[in-house]
């Protein structure tokens, strides 16, 4: 493990098993066969947990990002994060860190996102990531794991992270895209699936609020998570917890790039929790951070001023009927 700073005590530690060098550009029209001439490229360090760390750091939290890195793309992520002054502990791997490409189409306002599977991680590299996480998480209050698992990583990896968090007394926040949710058994403090992910995980259509909350409460009843926050893009988010169900009104914003909105939501909630705020207030900060992502281009992190301004515009959650518990 290579650490940027010798200090090990941070309040929030993020884990990104499949980081990406995010490249954003624009073109007039996306077409097949022809060469597509693009505008200048913007490069950002990306992948779920890295995005969470960038937003949490922008909101003034003490945060450290743990992730594997390989090749020149990995080195570029390290350099870009350093420029943003985000503390990091990266684990060298043999294979090469992936790139992700987002192309904005000027003629239609559409966005095209190309996402690669990422490098294969060996068993010993996975163990090195867990060891780096363990050392960074010693004394941390919150561990956030976010994003897809790259090829080669055992499907129960996020459960192993859960066990590690429990051993260290850290609250575990999980936003697992792809199949990472399926092998989860216990120990998550806050699970943040998008509605799309919850549908994939349950294999159900989940058309109504009631059906979506019932699926979330089932995860709680099975012991997977204490709280489940279902994000639904520009629609209100739903929170299921042992106390019941709440709906958090979405903020109305001008349409913009929603890339990283879910990570910003997670970052806002985690920053609230790290300040010992009650969960509903923390979720409101998350809703503000998610919406603030729409105000910045491509994969750029949101601006703290936007988050705090939007936070003042969030409203209290709507308590839902007891029978939805
Ligand atoms: N159009 C929008 N208007 C206002 N807020 C939005 C909008 N889109 C996203 N958000 C904010 O960002 C949060 C997360 O968005 P979303 O549900 O799309 O998550 P996601 O994790 O990015 O989705 P997925 O992982 O499925 O791509 C929302 O709960 C909301 O707070
Ligand atoms: Mg997401």
């Amino acid at each position: 493990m290579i650490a940027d700073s010798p200090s090990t005590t941070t309040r929030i530690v993020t884990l990104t098993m499949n980081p990406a060098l995010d490249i954003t550009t624009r073109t007039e029209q996306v077409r097949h066969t022809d060469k597509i001439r693009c505008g200048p490229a913007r490069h950002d360090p990306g992948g779920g947990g890295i995005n969470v760390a960038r937003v949490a750091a922008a909101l003034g939290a003490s945060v450290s990002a743990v992730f594997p890195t390989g090749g020149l793309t990995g080195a570029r992520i390290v350099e870009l994060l350093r420029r943003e002054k985000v503390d990091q502990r990266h684990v060298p791997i043999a294979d090469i860190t992936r790139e992700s490409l987002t192309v904005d189409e000027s003629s239609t306002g559409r966005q095209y996102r190309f996402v690669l599977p990422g490098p294969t991680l060996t068993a010993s590299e996975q163990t090195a990531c867990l060891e780096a996480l363990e050392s960074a998480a010693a004394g941390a209050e919150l561990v956030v794991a976010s994003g897809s698992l790259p090829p080669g990583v055992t499907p129960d990896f996020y459960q192993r992270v859960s066990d590690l968090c429990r051993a260290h007394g850290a609250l575990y926040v999980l936003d697992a895209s792809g199949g990472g949710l399926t092998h989860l058994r216990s120990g998550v403090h806050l699970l943040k699936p998008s509605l799309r992910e919850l549908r994939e995980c349950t294999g159900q259509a989940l058309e109504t609020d009631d059906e979506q909350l019932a699926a979330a409460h089932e995860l709680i009843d099975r012991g997977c998570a204490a709280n489940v926050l279902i994000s639904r893009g520009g629609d209100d988010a739903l929170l299921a917890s042992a106390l019941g169900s709440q709906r958090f009104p979405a903020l109305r914003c001008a349409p913009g790039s929603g890339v990283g909105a879910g990570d910003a939501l997670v970052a806002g909630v985690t920053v609230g929790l790290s300040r010992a705020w009650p969960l509903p207030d923390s979720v409101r900060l998350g809703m503000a951070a998610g919406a603030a992502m729409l105000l910045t281009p491509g994969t750029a992190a949101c601006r703290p001023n936007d988050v705090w301004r939007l936070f003042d515009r969030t409203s209290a959650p709507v308590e839902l009927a007891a029978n939805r518990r």
Side-chain angles (χ1 to χ4, degrees):
M1 175 186 71
I2 302 169
D4 251 18
S5 95
S7 103
T8 49
T9 310
T10 39
R11 301 180 88 114
I12 303 171
V13 175
T14 73
L15 176 68
T16 316
M17 288 305 285
N18 205 2
L21 179 63
D22 282 330
I23 304 171
T24 311
T25 186
R26 66 171 49 245
T27 192
E28 183 59 23
Q29 197 190 356
V30 176
R31 295 177 306 271
H32 68 87
T33 313
D34 294 344
K35 275 185 190 160
I36 302 172
R37 301 278 173 198
C38 299
R42 186 195 155 92
H43 292 85
D44 282 290
I50 287 177
N51 295 334
V52 173
R54 293 171 73 203
V55 174
L59 293 176
S62 152
V63 59
S64 182
V66 175
F67 54 94
T69 46
L72 289 176
T73 39
R76 183 98 165 103
I77 290 177
V78 168
E79 173 56 26
L80 289 167
L81 272 181
R82 235 173 234 155
R83 277 193 215 164
E84 290 189 22
K85 301 199 171 18
V86 176
D87 183 71
Q88 51 182 304
R89 280 124 216 276
H90 44 100
V91 176
I93 58 167
D95 206 346
I96 296 171
T97 299
R98 66 184 172 153
E99 293 165 299
S100 289
L101 179 64
T102 301
V103 181
D104 293 321
E105 190 182 53
S106 321
S107 56
T108 61
R110 285 190 188 133
Q111 192 171 61
Y112 293 84
R113 295 172 67 183
F114 301 89
V115 178
L116 302 171
T120 299
L121 263 64
T122 64
S124 63
E125 289 168 344
Q126 294 169 47
T127 306
C129 288
L130 283 176
E131 285 169 0
L133 178 68
E134 189 155 22
S135 123
E141 287 170 18
L142 290 135
V143 169
V144 183
S146 177
S148 62
L149 293 173
V153 174
T154 50
D156 69 343
F157 191 85
Y158 281 138
Q159 182 59 43
R160 293 169 69 190
V161 175
S162 181
D163 299 341
L164 188 151
C165 290
R166 185 176 299 165
H168 287 272
L171 293 180
Y172 183 28
V173 177
L174 177 62
D175 179 353
S177 55
L181 265 185
T182 326
H183 292 80
L184 196 65
R185 294 186 308 278
S186 64
V188 178
H189 180 66
L190 177 72
L191 189 64
K192 202 298 281 174
S194 63
L195 178 55
R196 180 184 59 76
E197 289 158 351
L198 193 64
R199 284 176 170 144
E200 271 172 24
C201 157
T202 59
Q204 297 168 29
L206 305 178
E207 302 285 359
T208 65
D209 288 11
D210 278 353
E211 287 168 355
Q212 293 159 21
L213 283 164
H217 279 292
E218 201 194 311
L219 288 168
I220 295 172
D221 294 344
R222 284 202 337 239
C224 292
N227 305 284
V228 179
L229 176 62
I230 309 169
S231 67
R232 306 189 297 181
D235 291 333
D236 300 352
L238 298 172
L239 177 68
S241 72
L243 298 177
S245 305
Q246 294 173 312
R247 184 161 52 74
F248 287 79
L251 288 152
R252 302 278 153 251
C253 321
S257 165
V259 180
D263 297 323
L265 168 64
V266 170
V269 182
T270 307
V271 169
L273 293 174
S274 76
R275 294 177 177 194
W277 290 8
L279 182 56
D281 293 342
S282 303
V283 172
R284 283 170 72 168
L285 183 58
M287 297 298 282
M293 280 307 283
L294 275 81
L295 306 178
T296 53
T299 43
C302 53
R303 291 174 291 254
N305 285 352
D306 288 337
V307 178
W308 296 116
R309 185 174 50 77
L310 288 168
F311 180 58
D312 288 339
R313 281 180 34 203
T314 58
S315 25
V318 180
E319 299 292 334
L320 298 175
N323 66 2
R324 294 194 182 169
R325 161 57 280 258

